[in-house]
Amino acid sequence: LLLNRCCAVLGCNMTSKAMGVFVPSKCRETALKLSRLNAVTHLQNSADEQSIPYFIKDNFAVVDMPLTCASGALRSFISPYSSTVVERLSEKGFKPIGKTNLDEFAMGSGTVDSCFGATVNPWSFNSCEGDDFLVTGGSSGGSAAVVAANIVPFSIGSDTGGSIRLPAAFCGVLGFKPSYGTISRHGLVPLSNAFDTPGVFSRSMDIIRNVFEVLTDGDCNFDSTNDTSILDRSGIPDDYKFRIGIPSEYHVSGISFEMLSYWEQTAQVMESIGWEIVPCSLPLTNQVVPCYSVLSSSDVSSNMARYDGIEFGTRIKDGDHATFDLYKETRSQMLSEHVKGRIFSGNYFLLKSNLEDYYITALKVRRLIAEDFKRCFSENHLDALLTPVSLDTAPLYSEFVSKDLREQTEVQDVLINAANLAAIPAISFPVGLSLKKLPISMQLMAPLGKDFRLLELTRRISSEINFDYTELDNKLARI
C-alpha cells in the first residue's frame, strides 16, 4: 500500500529539473526506496515542476497535513497552519512533499520508538543478515535516511540534544545544527524549548548553506523564537588558515579504534592544508549528560501536559470517564513507555522538594558549561573544535533495542549534548568508511553566531576529504 502511495505521489509531475532529483523513469525506484526505508510518515498529494522538493520531520507544522510527532496521541491531528521554516522555504520555491519518521515526540536516539515503526538506515541494504538492520540514529532518522538514499536534495530536522548530528553520522550525510535561536521554532512541536533547534540534512555543503541563508535571510526576525542579529556574516579570505581545537576530554571511554583513527586522520588532513591543530580542554565535559538529562526532562514534563485528550491528543472514549480518569486513561494508552519515563523524571526534578537540588543546579551547571566553551574558544583563539559524533558506527537494531534508555543515553549522547547546552552551532560530516563499509563522521563546533564561518570551514575540509557515496549508491541500486 505504501509503495503504491509513493508511486502515485512521486509520479505526479515530480521532475524538479533544477535539482535533478526526480524523473518519471525513476519514480518506482524512488517509491521502493521510501517503502523499504520506512522513513516517511505522510506524503503530500501533489508537487509541480517549478518547486524544489524536500522532506520535513513530522514534528513541524505544514498546513493541511498530519502532524503526528510519530505518536498515537496525535495520529489524527491535521495542522491548521505552517511553521515559519516551511513558510520561509515556500517563499523561495521549496515545497515539502512529505513528513519523515522520528522517535515519538523526538525523544530517542534511534528512530525506533515511533508509532509507524522503526526507520531503516539505507546502509543496511546488502549489509545485514536476516531481518536485522542498521538504525538511523535519532530522533531525526527519517530526515537523514531520505537524504542518504538521495531521494531529495535536502531535508529538515530538529536537534535538541544531537538529533540531527547523530542520524547524519550514522547515515553518512551532512547534518547542521545552527546556533540556538537563529532559526524560528514557531510551528515546531516543542520537546525542550531551551534546546530545540531546526536544522538541515544534505549531501551538499552548498545546499546546506543556501537553505540556512533562506531561513535566516536579512537582519529581520520572523517571530519571537528567533534572533538573527547574533550571526556573523563577514566573509573569509580564500587563503585563511583556520585554527582547530582538539579537546582532550572527548577521548571518552568506549570510543572505537576506527573512530579514533579517523579523528586523527581528519586532523592530519587539516594540518596538510596549513590549518593549525591545537590541543585544548573542556573540564566540564563529564557534567554534560547529567545536566542535559535534568533540564530536558523537566521541559518535557511541562510540554507533555497538554496531551490529555482535551487540549490535544486522541481521547479515550470507552465508558464515561471522570476528568482525572480521562487524563489517566488517555495518557496511559496513547503515550509510549519511553515518553512516560521522561515525564516521570521531569516531574520528579521539578518537585518543590527537589527543585533546588536538581533543576536550579542544572541551570547553573549549564551556564558554566557555556562559559567553558567561551573560554576554550577565546583563550586558544580557535575557529572550531573537532570531535567525533558517536563512539562507533551505526548499531544493528537488535543490538540497539537490547539496551535500556539510560544505557543508550550514555552511549549516544556523550559527544553531542554539549553543543545544545552551550547553544553553539555544530555540524556532522562524513570522513570515511569503517572496515564494515559503514560511514564514520566527525563533528565541528564553533562559537555562538559563527555559523557561516563553520559552514565555510566544513565546506573546505569536506572538499579535501571528498567522501565517496559510490558504496551507498551501489547498495541502493540493488534494492
Side-chain angles (χ1 to χ4, degrees):
L1 180 62
L2 176 58
L3 175 58
N4 292 336
R5 176 71 174 139
C6 291
C7 282
V9 172
L10 298 177
C12 187
N13 298 320
M14 280 300 300
T15 55
S16 185
K17 298 174 182 177
M19 302 300 293
V21 180
F22 293 115
V23 294
S25 63
K26 293 187 177 181
C27 172
R28 184 171 178 80
E29 173 190 335
T30 302
L32 184 58
K33 288 179 185 178
L34 287 178
S35 63
R36 288 285 301 276
L37 292 173
N38 192 35
V40 175
T41 60
H42 304 284
L43 284 163
Q44 186 64 283
N45 288 324
S46 63
D48 54 72
E49 294 186 10
Q50 288 72 40
S51 299
I52 301 170
Y54 70 96
F55 280 104
I56 189 165
K57 189 176 178 180
D58 197 6
N59 60 346
F60 284 86
V62 181
V63 66
D64 295 332
M65 286 187 68
L67 176 57
T68 72
C69 296
S71 174
L74 289 176
R75 199 150 190 173
S76 60
F77 182 75
I78 304 296
S79 177
Y81 71 100
S82 287
S83 63
T84 301
V85 165
V86 171
E87 289 182 345
R88 291 294 302 165
L89 290 171
S90 296
E91 291 171 4
K92 299 296 183 179
F94 299 95
K95 181 164 186 175
I97 60 170
K99 297 289 205 69
T100 55
N101 204 8
L102 64 153
D103 290 292
E104 184 177 7
F105 286 106
M107 298 183 210
S109 55
T111 313
V112 299
D113 296 312
S114 164
C115 69
F116 300 101
T119 294
V120 177
N121 190 323
W123 291 84
S124 302
F125 299 123
N126 302 296
S127 298
C128 303
E129 296 181 0
D131 295 329
D132 214 353
F133 57 89
L134 300 167
V135 302
T136 57
S139 61
S140 305
S143 292
V146 293
V147 168
N150 208 22
I151 293 170
V152 285
F154 75 94
S155 63
I156 299 295
S158 63
D159 193 309
T160 305
S163 293
I164 286 176
R165 288 159 289 148
L166 185 64
F170 283 175
C171 293
V173 298
L174 297 155
F176 175 49
K177 180 204 88 71
S179 294
Y180 174 79
T182 54
I183 295 180
S184 168
R185 300 191 311 279
H186 176 66
L188 168 62
V189 176
L191 169 62
S192 175
N193 309 68
F195 304 121
D196 292 341
T197 306
V200 191
F201 294 92
S202 183
R203 287 188 177 192
S204 164
M205 277 306 306
D206 290 335
I207 290 176
I208 285 185
R209 182 186 176 95
N210 289 341
V211 172
F212 183 60
E213 285 179 338
V214 168
L215 295 177
T216 59
D217 188 24
D219 296 325
C220 61
N221 299 314
F222 308 120
D223 53 59
S224 61
T225 69
N226 77 306
D227 180 8
T228 59
S229 65
I230 66 171
L231 289 172
D232 178 4
R233 300 177 185 269
S234 58
I236 303 172
D238 292 339
D239 59 351
Y240 182 83
K241 304 302 181 184
F242 291 98
R243 189 174 168 91
I244 309 297
I246 307 289
S248 58
E249 291 81 4
Y250 277 64
H251 288 80
V252 296
S253 174
I255 194 167
S256 71
F257 173 79
E258 286 184 301
M259 199 65 66
L260 287 173
S261 177
Y262 269 104
W263 191 7
E264 182 178 350
Q265 288 179 39
T266 305
Q268 290 174 350
V269 172
M270 290 176 169
E271 286 186 310
S272 71
I273 57 176
W275 297 6
E276 189 173 357
I277 303 298
V278 182
C280 61
S281 178
L282 292 166
L284 292 177
T285 297
N286 64 346
Q287 300 300 315
V288 165
V289 171
C291 177
Y292 173 81
S293 297
V294 170
L295 295 178
S296 62
S297 295
S298 299
D299 272 0
V300 164
S301 65
S302 175
N303 284 322
M304 294 302 296
R306 71 195 68 178
Y307 304 108
D308 54 17
I310 295 177
E311 292 177 279
F312 290 96
T314 302
R315 182 183 302 184
I316 300 302
K317 297 181 179 179
D318 295 337
D320 296 323
H321 293 295
T323 303
F324 178 80
D325 291 334
L326 174 64
Y327 288 167
K328 183 177 69 173
E329 292 299 319
T330 296
R331 291 164 71 79
S332 295
Q333 295 185 39
M334 291 294 110
L335 302 177
S336 69
E337 294 302 314
H338 187 159
V339 171
K340 285 184 280 190
R342 292 274 191 108
I343 294 171
F344 279 126
S345 297
N347 283 331
Y348 177 80
F349 297 141
L350 294 175
L351 287 172
K352 184 177 181 180
S353 58
N354 296 333
L355 189 66
E356 186 70 34
D357 290 340
Y358 289 96
Y359 186 70
I360 302 301
T361 299
L363 287 175
K364 294 176 181 177
V365 173
R366 181 190 184 182
R367 177 178 56 80
L368 293 175
I369 290 171
E371 291 176 355
D372 206 18
F373 274 89
K374 290 179 183 178
R375 175 200 53 77
C376 184
F377 284 123
S378 61
E379 289 184 1
N380 297 288
H381 307 289
L382 300 176
D383 293 295
L385 297 169
L386 174 68
T387 76
V389 182
S390 60
L391 302 184
D392 209 340
T393 55
L396 290 169
Y397 174 81
S398 58
E399 173 191 345
F400 187 88
V401 298
S402 68
K403 299 176 181 178
D404 63 24
L405 175 60
R406 182 179 296 277
E407 287 181 287
Q408 286 297 353
T409 297
E410 291 174 351
V411 170
Q412 307 299 348
D413 289 358
V414 63
L415 301 173
I416 49 180
N417 283 169
N420 298 88
L421 288 169
I424 60 177
I427 190 168
S428 170
F429 64 104
V431 296
L433 297 179
S434 69
L435 293 176
K436 295 180 180 179
K437 300 297 182 181
L438 297 178
I440 290 178
S441 295
M442 291 293 124
Q443 173 178 232
L444 285 165
M445 297 180 281
L448 181 68
K450 301 295 183 180
D451 300 58
F452 286 104
R453 178 174 290 255
L454 176 64
L455 293 177
E456 176 60 18
L457 188 162
T458 309
R459 185 192 66 79
R460 294 186 189 184
I461 190 60
S462 294
S463 66
E464 291 292 327
I465 293 172
N466 193 25
F467 182 77
D468 189 0
Y469 284 100
T470 302
E471 182 74 23
L472 175 58
D473 291 336
N474 288 339
K475 291 176 185 286
L476 295 169
R478 294 193 290 269
I479 293 179

